[in-house]
Amino acid sequence: MDREILVEKLQGIVGKNGVFTRPADLLVYEYDGSVDGAVETATPSAVALPTTAEQIADIVILAREAGLPVVARGAGTGLSGGAVPQQGGIIISLTRMNRVLEIDREDRTALVEPGVINLELSEETLPHGFFFAPDPSSQKACTIGGNVAENSGGPHCLKYGVTTNHVLGLEIVLPDGRIVWTGGRSAGVSGYDLTGAMVGSEGMLGIVTKALVRLTPSPESTLVLLAPFADIESASHATSRIIAAGIVPAALEMMDNLTIQAVEPAYHAGYPMDAGAVLLIEIDGSTDDVRGTGVEIAALCVESGATEVRSATERAERDLLWKGRKMALGAMGRLAPNYYLHDTVVPRSKLPATLRRVEEISRDFDLPIANVFHAGDGNLHPLMLFDRRVNGSTERVLEASKEIITYCVDVGGALSGEHGIGTEKRGYMTLVYTADDLAAMAGLKNSFDPTGMFNPEKLFPKGYMCGEVRALRMQAMAQKLGIHAL
Amino acid sequence: MDREILVEKLQGIVGKNGVFTRPADLLVYEYDGSVDGAVETATPSAVALPTTAEQIADIVILAREAGLPVVARGAGTGLSGGAVPQQGGIIISLTRMNRVLEIDREDRTALVEPGVINLELSEETLPHGFFFAPDPSSQKACTIGGNVAENSGGPHCLKYGVTTNHVLGLEIVLPDGRIVWTGGRSAGVSGYDLTGAMVGSEGMLGIVTKALVRLTPSPESTLVLLAPFADIESASHATSRIIAAGIVPAALEMMDNLTIQAVEPAYHAGYPMDAGAVLLIEIDGSTDDVRGTGVEIAALCVESGATEVRSATERAERDLLWKGRKMALGAMGRLAPNYYLHDTVVPRSKLPATLRRVEEISRDFDLPIANVFHAGDGNLHPLMLFDRRVNGSTERVLEASKEIITYCVDVGGALSGEHGIGTEKRGYMTLVYTADDLAAMAGLKNSFDPTGMFNPEKLFPKGYMCGEVRALRMQAMAQKLGIHAL
């Protein structure tokens, strides 16, 4: 289809001011929050900004006629390249679908459009006594639709679970233009859990146009503890002891010395500059319970070698302690011009050994690595600091990443805790999955999107989806049945 | 394939004592916990009792050669006919795969075979300080594999969530005989959430051969409150107030007068015989917190009209209060020879109106209906009492069921909270889902099981899966695109 005709038709669907086509406008949509140079990208043909599910269905059908891929996009804060248009095509930006349609206090649910900003949903529901629990560090900017696509987490997911635990139902536009509803308005589900299959599918199976999400009651009381340790080892040990004691803190975050060096001078959160690591622990619940658990955790920290334990209950004090953690990425600019943030998970019991290995890799590759992460659920976030302008530095970072990822998988971990696979980690999927495992996933993709039109070149290893899937399945089957080609 | 050859080959896979073929043995496998006469069934060709995933893969490949359906079965306690062989074929009984393979204290997980009995897993992990949270009333008999297939719930799912919230990864035999692993050993997931798609898929997509499940820390303290009310209305009101206060009890169960009439004389749990309804409320957590929350709940109950509030903290007392609830089904025999238990969900806010409607239906159909249910999450369990030997009584029960289900769906509810759709409710799926919604589900089924070999005649409305799916999809697509047949 001629580009001019395409644009005209898009304008017919979403109106003139709902389509971006100028090169300067399109440039922005080639990127997301992932590291430039680590992810392939391409210029989209056009960006459409629909306001209804019906408009999205019409855009999808138009894209199909034009033979163009479709990439859905929220705020573009993703770190794995999930919203990057690797083969161009039409970008569907969901930022104009940003209404909270309904808050149901008694049923503790909210019906929202995909472009609603994560933090704004919590702000809107707080007066009703509720909040939306998943809280990615980008929560001031990222959207619920993006959270659903990546199954996003955040510090408080230790206690409250990730996005999939908070989505009850979804309205979705499928690759054939149909609009379907998955799940229910109440606790029960009828039939296959399509909502579960959709959450975390990275925009490859459908485009979310409405989400019915669970709201969580605001706790009566919240306590934040800061415990500095001489080294990472003893902070890890304290983490293990807290969890093994059966305590479930709302959040349990660790920052190492390098992170403190970046953060403390910037925000004066009160982290001791000479600490090898600090733990930031939040507990919430009833006032009595919080007080009791706080004392228990403090004792475990001191027994594990904490040099002191500071506590904050007032909002302003708590926010200050958290500020250093939440703004850690922003502060890294003080240490190096660029950073590459990884997201891998290891079984909690493997944390100390994994952190030692990360330190070795840092030495081997002569690459400073800051660690600021969700210790409570074993979700590492090694931050590699570098300068892109130095020749070969990006390549070195990617090499070091490979070492880290391989190690984490070897000790029984996962490729991603909350950032998704996207295009960043597709090459690593075979580390975790066999050909048969991947074929099962590809079968799911094929059932929703047989032509591979939604968000191509994501999640599956390169070359994997180009018609090879059926061949692979047949081959596996033939092997299993003992059928051999003559 | 000749039946004798089939049996011989099955014996070759699982050994002579791993195959049942005598009519008396097969008869048992025609039924599950669902009401006889409400569910169609057929005699299976054979029952195989494998002990490894590889044996299951071989049985599946054999069944494919023989053109026979395969139905996986746990303890057969299901209430929606999910394990009933509607078209005969090979039953794969998983009861011999009943080992707890691994308990990981630090990572709070257990790796189990599908035939492990729900309660036994908790009993085995309790000494380590953990339990497996989903607790169907049949937990003394039902298996983890069955829980996964039906996404089972139970009283404590109000606080802890249903089975899907406690499954981290699954080993599965697919309909083509491949053995795949979904999910991870740690908190993170890489790629599509096939685990989520598999949980609740009622044995139609794959057969679970291993499950990695999450263990929950045992609470420090547990308190059970019993609050009798003059009528269901005020008990419902108390429920709403407790939930709206932001309290999340571990369980919040309601029993009406008819249930009390059956239960109290049988178990002497101490429910007042003249109460219109009782609430049974469990709170767990730290000792201080439990005490405080207990007082708060008691106050809300009294304000809503509770005639008294009794509390129990000691295990024996708590168990006695619970016994009446957990054994309620068994006690119904005191009131009538047969019962039909329904499982529907309504938004919590619609509970009082729904219970009034159930009362009306009870009058209209001259059918005693006892209500014993998970009030906290709006999950109704109307129990219709009847005598099968009376002509037309089963039909009357099914008519009344239809009225109840239709009403629940009309007020925004779901067909099932925890019992699944199976064959029992497949006819109602179109009440909740559009043709497009169902086609999306059918697409999922087709991607895993294109020949419809695993557990046929379940979940989808009758006739739906007989090759019509592709036709329906094409038709929906053609309509959407404005393509009309000439």
Side-chain angles (χ1 to χ4, degrees):
Chain A
M1 188 181 291
D2 188 79
R3 181 147 181 271
E4 256 174 63
I5 297 177
L6 175 78
V7 170
E8 215 167 87
K9 288 195 171 190
L10 278 175
Q11 287 174 339
I13 296 170
V14 293
K16 276 216 157 116
N17 69 359
V19 184
F20 293 162
T21 56
R22 288 188 315 165
D25 289 332
L26 296 183
L27 188 65
V28 179
Y29 291 88
E30 286 186 32
Y31 301 94
D32 66 358
S34 55
V35 169
D36 188 17
V39 155
E40 286 171 45
T41 187
T43 310
S45 303
V47 177
L49 297 101
T51 53
T52 68
E54 289 68 26
Q55 288 180 357
I56 295 176
D58 288 343
I59 296 169
V60 166
I61 291 165
L62 173 63
R64 184 168 287 286
E65 280 171 26
L68 287 173
V70 163
V71 179
R73 183 184 174 102
T77 55
L79 294 168
S80 59
V84 166
Q86 283 214 286
Q87 299 185 338
I90 300 173
I91 298 240
I92 298 185
S93 168
L94 296 153
T95 46
R96 291 189 185 167
M97 292 176 70
N98 60 353
R99 292 174 304 163
V100 175
L101 300 170
E102 211 180 294
I103 292 174
D104 190 322
R105 194 165 177 265
E106 203 162 343
D107 292 329
R108 286 187 191 165
T109 58
L111 185 67
V112 302
E113 291 185 325
V116 168
I117 288 173
N118 176 297
L119 189 62
E120 287 179 4
L121 176 58
S122 282
E123 280 169 356
E124 202 155 320
T125 54
L126 266 180
H128 302 272
F130 298 103
F131 68 109
F132 180 63
D135 59 341
S137 292
S138 56
Q139 70 176 149
K140 281 185 185 170
C142 68
T143 63
I144 304 291
N147 297 166
V148 170
E150 301 296 329
N151 192 16
S152 303
H156 289 84
C157 292
L158 175 58
K159 175 169 179 180
Y160 294 107
V162 290
T163 302
T164 195
N165 302 121
H166 299 271
V167 179
L168 294 168
L170 295 170
E171 185 188 76
I172 294 162
V173 176
L174 295 178
D176 60 10
R178 287 177 300 144
I179 302 172
V180 302
W181 176 257
T182 71
R185 293 199 58 85
S186 42
V189 175
S190 314
Y192 300 142
D193 185 11
L194 290 188
T195 310
M198 206 55 65
V199 178
S201 65
E202 309 201 359
M204 297 173 72
L205 306 180
I207 299 173
V208 172
T209 50
K210 277 195 196 87
L212 182 75
V213 301
R214 202 189 289 277
L215 299 176
T216 303
S218 309
E220 182 185 303
S221 169
T222 303
L223 174 71
V224 177
L225 299 175
L226 179 78
F229 293 83
D231 48 48
I232 289 184
E233 198 84 28
S234 39
S236 302
H237 183 62
T239 303
S240 292
R241 290 196 59 189
I242 293 166
I243 300 292
I247 300 168
V248 185
L252 202 175
E253 302 282 309
M254 197 191 299
M255 281 166 278
D256 68 1
N257 180 266
L258 195 51
T259 307
I260 297 169
Q261 297 298 327
V263 161
E264 186 55 28
Y267 305 113
H268 309 289
Y271 306 162
M273 290 287 281
D274 59 346
V278 295
L279 289 183
L280 192 67
I281 306 160
E282 185 168 300
I283 322 149
D284 62 15
S286 72
T287 309
D288 283 352
D289 193 26
V290 163
R291 203 174 295 138
T293 309
V295 172
E296 201 179 339
I297 290 177
L300 289 170
C301 285
V302 170
E303 281 170 33
S304 308
T307 50
E308 60 165 331
V309 179
R310 288 171 43 201
S311 75
T313 48
E314 291 311 306
R315 167 133 230 144
E317 293 174 321
R318 287 192 276 123
D319 286 352
L320 183 64
L321 285 183
W322 266 111
K323 195 175 180 191
R325 166 66 185 91
K326 291 233 170 185
M327 306 292 284
L329 295 195
M332 289 299 156
R334 300 177 78 95
L335 302 180
N338 301 96
Y339 66 77
Y340 193 113
L341 171 65
H342 253 291
D343 168 46
T344 56
V345 186
V346 294
R348 253 184 311 253
S349 52
K350 301 295 192 309
L351 261 186
T354 307
L355 290 166
R356 276 197 299 275
R357 181 76 191 108
V358 169
E359 213 179 317
E360 273 169 36
I361 293 168
S362 166
R363 271 200 307 273
D364 291 352
F365 286 83
D366 190 19
L367 199 64
I369 303 184
N371 286 289
V372 41
F373 65 102
H374 313 315
D377 42 20
N379 189 183
L380 293 176
H381 282 349
L383 253 163
M384 289 170 275
L385 302 169
F386 67 109
D387 184 345
R388 272 188 63 209
R389 295 162 302 185
V390 174
N391 245 344
S393 62
T394 304
E395 290 70 16
R396 199 147 45 94
V397 164
L398 293 177
E399 277 300 306
S401 302
K402 194 177 165 186
E403 292 289 321
I404 294 175
I405 292 172
T406 310
Y407 182 85
C408 291
V409 170
D410 282 350
V411 299
L415 291 180
S416 165
E418 48 182 20
H419 299 181
I421 301 300
T423 178
E424 182 200 20
K425 283 185 179 155
R426 54 194 299 222
Y428 294 108
M429 287 289 277
T430 48
L431 283 183
V432 180
Y433 294 111
T434 65
D436 279 350
D437 296 347
L438 279 175
M441 280 192 204
L444 184 65
K445 168 72 172 172
N446 271 344
S447 81
F448 281 93
D449 185 19
T451 63
M453 171 194 186
F454 272 20
N455 210 8
E457 301 294 324
K458 305 290 156 67
L459 199 137
F460 292 98
K462 229 172 225 184
Y464 191 84
M465 289 304 289
C466 312
E468 295 173 19
V469 178
R470 277 207 189 78
L472 269 174
R473 281 175 72 94
M474 297 319 280
Q475 193 189 321
M477 176 103 181
Q479 277 176 1
K480 193 87 199 170
L481 293 171
I483 302 170
H484 295 285
L486 291 176
Chain B
M1 190 181 291
D2 188 79
R3 181 147 180 272
E4 255 174 66
I5 296 175
L6 176 78
V7 170
E8 214 167 90
K9 289 197 171 189
L10 278 175
Q11 288 174 338
I13 297 169
V14 292
K16 276 216 157 125
N17 70 358
V19 184
F20 294 163
T21 55
R22 288 187 316 163
D25 289 333
L26 296 182
L27 189 65
V28 180
Y29 291 87
E30 286 186 31
Y31 301 95
D32 65 359
S34 55
V35 169
D36 188 18
V39 155
E40 287 171 44
T41 186
T43 309
S45 303
V47 176
L49 297 102
T51 53
T52 67
E54 289 67 27
Q55 288 180 358
I56 295 176
D58 287 344
I59 296 169
V60 166
I61 291 164
L62 173 64
R64 183 169 289 285
E65 281 172 25
L68 287 172
V70 163
V71 179
R73 183 183 174 102
T77 55
L79 294 167
S80 58
V84 166
Q86 284 214 283
Q87 298 184 338
I90 300 173
I91 299 241
I92 298 185
S93 168
L94 296 153
T95 46
R96 290 189 186 169
M97 292 175 69
N98 60 353
R99 292 174 302 164
V100 175
L101 300 171
E102 208 183 295
I103 293 174
D104 189 323
R105 194 166 178 262
E106 202 162 345
D107 293 330
R108 286 186 191 166
T109 58
L111 184 68
V112 303
E113 289 186 328
V116 168
I117 289 174
N118 176 295
L119 190 62
E120 288 178 5
L121 176 57
S122 283
E123 281 168 356
E124 202 155 321
T125 55
L126 266 181
H128 302 272
F130 298 103
F131 68 108
F132 181 62
D135 60 341
S137 293
S138 56
Q139 69 176 149
K140 281 185 186 170
C142 67
T143 62
I144 304 291
N147 297 167
V148 170
E150 302 295 329
N151 193 14
S152 303
H156 290 84
C157 293
L158 175 58
K159 176 169 178 179
Y160 294 107
V162 290
T163 302
T164 195
N165 303 120
H166 300 271
V167 179
L168 294 167
L170 295 169
E171 185 189 76
I172 294 162
V173 175
L174 295 178
D176 61 9
R178 285 178 301 143
I179 302 172
V180 301
W181 176 258
T182 72
R185 291 198 60 85
S186 43
V189 176
S190 314
Y192 300 142
D193 185 11
L194 289 187
T195 310
M198 206 55 64
V199 178
S201 64
E202 308 200 1
M204 299 173 71
L205 306 182
I207 299 172
V208 173
T209 49
K210 279 195 194 86
L212 182 75
V213 302
R214 200 190 290 279
L215 299 175
T216 303
S218 308
E220 181 185 304
S221 170
T222 304
L223 174 71
V224 177
L225 299 175
L226 179 79
F229 293 83
D231 47 50
I232 288 185
E233 198 85 30
S234 38
S236 301
H237 183 61
T239 303
S240 292
R241 289 197 59 190
I242 292 165
I243 300 292
I247 300 168
V248 185
L252 203 174
E253 302 283 309
M254 198 190 300
M255 281 164 279
D256 68 1
N257 181 266
L258 196 51
T259 307
I260 298 167
Q261 298 298 327
V263 161
E264 186 54 28
Y267 303 113
H268 311 288
Y271 307 162
M273 290 287 282
D274 59 345
V278 295
L279 289 183
L280 192 67
I281 307 160
E282 185 168 301
I283 323 151
D284 63 15
S286 72
T287 309
D288 284 353
D289 193 26
V290 163
R291 203 175 294 140
T293 309
V295 172
E296 200 180 339
I297 291 176
L300 289 170
C301 285
V302 170
E303 282 170 32
S304 308
T307 51
E308 61 166 331
V309 180
R310 287 173 41 203
S311 74
T313 48
E314 290 311 306
R315 166 132 232 145
E317 294 175 321
R318 287 190 276 122
D319 285 354
L320 182 64
L321 286 182
W322 266 111
K323 196 177 181 190
R325 167 64 185 92
K326 292 231 170 187
M327 306 293 284
L329 296 195
M332 288 299 154
R334 300 177 78 96
L335 302 181
N338 301 95
Y339 65 78
Y340 193 115
L341 171 65
H342 254 291
D343 168 45
T344 57
V345 186
V346 294
R348 252 184 312 251
S349 54
K350 301 295 191 312
L351 261 186
T354 307
L355 290 167
R356 277 198 299 276
R357 180 78 191 108
V358 169
E359 213 179 318
E360 274 170 32
I361 292 167
S362 166
R363 272 200 305 274
D364 291 353
F365 286 83
D366 192 17
L367 198 64
I369 303 185
N371 287 289
V372 43
F373 64 101
H374 313 315
D377 42 20
N379 189 183
L380 294 175
H381 281 350
L383 253 163
M384 289 169 277
L385 302 169
F386 67 109
D387 184 345
R388 272 188 64 210
R389 295 160 303 184
V390 175
N391 244 344
S393 62
T394 305
E395 291 71 16
R396 198 148 45 91
V397 164
L398 292 177
E399 277 299 307
S401 301
K402 193 178 166 186
E403 293 287 321
I404 294 175
I405 292 171
T406 311
Y407 182 85
C408 290
V409 170
D410 282 350
V411 299
L415 291 179
S416 166
E418 48 182 20
H419 298 180
I421 300 301
T423 178
E424 183 201 18
K425 283 186 180 155
R426 54 194 296 222
Y428 294 109
M429 286 290 277
T430 49
L431 282 183
V432 180
Y433 294 110
T434 65
D436 279 351
D437 297 346
L438 279 175
M441 279 191 206
L444 184 65
K445 169 72 172 171
N446 270 344
S447 81
F448 281 91
D449 186 19
T451 62
M453 171 194 186
F454 272 19
N455 211 6
E457 301 294 324
K458 304 290 157 63
L459 199 136
F460 293 97
K462 228 172 226 186
Y464 190 83
M465 288 304 288
C466 313
E468 293 173 20
V469 178
R470 274 205 190 80
L472 268 175
R473 281 175 72 94
M474 296 320 279
Q475 193 190 320
M477 176 105 181
Q479 276 175 1
K480 194 84 201 175
L481 294 172
I483 303 169
H484 294 285
L486 292 176

